[in-house]
Amino acid sequence: MANIESRLAVLGLILPPAFTPPPGVVLPFVNVRQIGNRAVIAGHGPQSSDGQIAGPLGKVGAELTLEQGYAAARLTALSMLGSLKRAPGELDRISHWVRIFGMVNSAPGFVRQPAVINGFSDLILELWGPEAGAHARSAVGMAELPFGIPVEIEGEVQIAD
């Protein structure tokens, strides 16, 4: 078993299958676009183990607590790792996390978006360590996100040959 996958197993974490969009929804893009040694990762949201959107849904600071938002960001990391495992194929090929853009479905007046997106960053740093896992990051509030998800995150990684 690969190093990152071993760490996931030790933590009791399972990567979800490919996202299953709601009926009638067409998503005309790829989840991971690799060009050379870089992979750009499309926006991902929290997924349950069956590939569906994971709840709870809604705005952080209204329907969801900060802790629920943090948990959603952690599930979003697993969703993104599932896509990265499918393409380029091995999580151990990720040599560095480069950039993360975290979006939080925020209630008016909610200003703790960085604490929510820490759910993502903390897991990546735990798995890859402080050097390879270090990433530039933005964490912003949005009025709405697709399907009512509380968090959407996109990013970029460097892939080893």
Side-chain angles (χ1 to χ4, degrees), residues 46-82:
Q47 282 184 265
S48 59
S49 60
D50 64 0
Q52 302 292 316
I53 295 170
L57 302 178
K59 295 185 178 301
V60 180
E63 296 88 6
L64 281 78
T65 65
L66 177 111
E67 293 77 19
Q68 289 172 308
Y70 180 98
R74 189 172 171 94
L75 286 176
T76 301
L78 293 174
S79 175
M80 192 179 284
L81 293 177

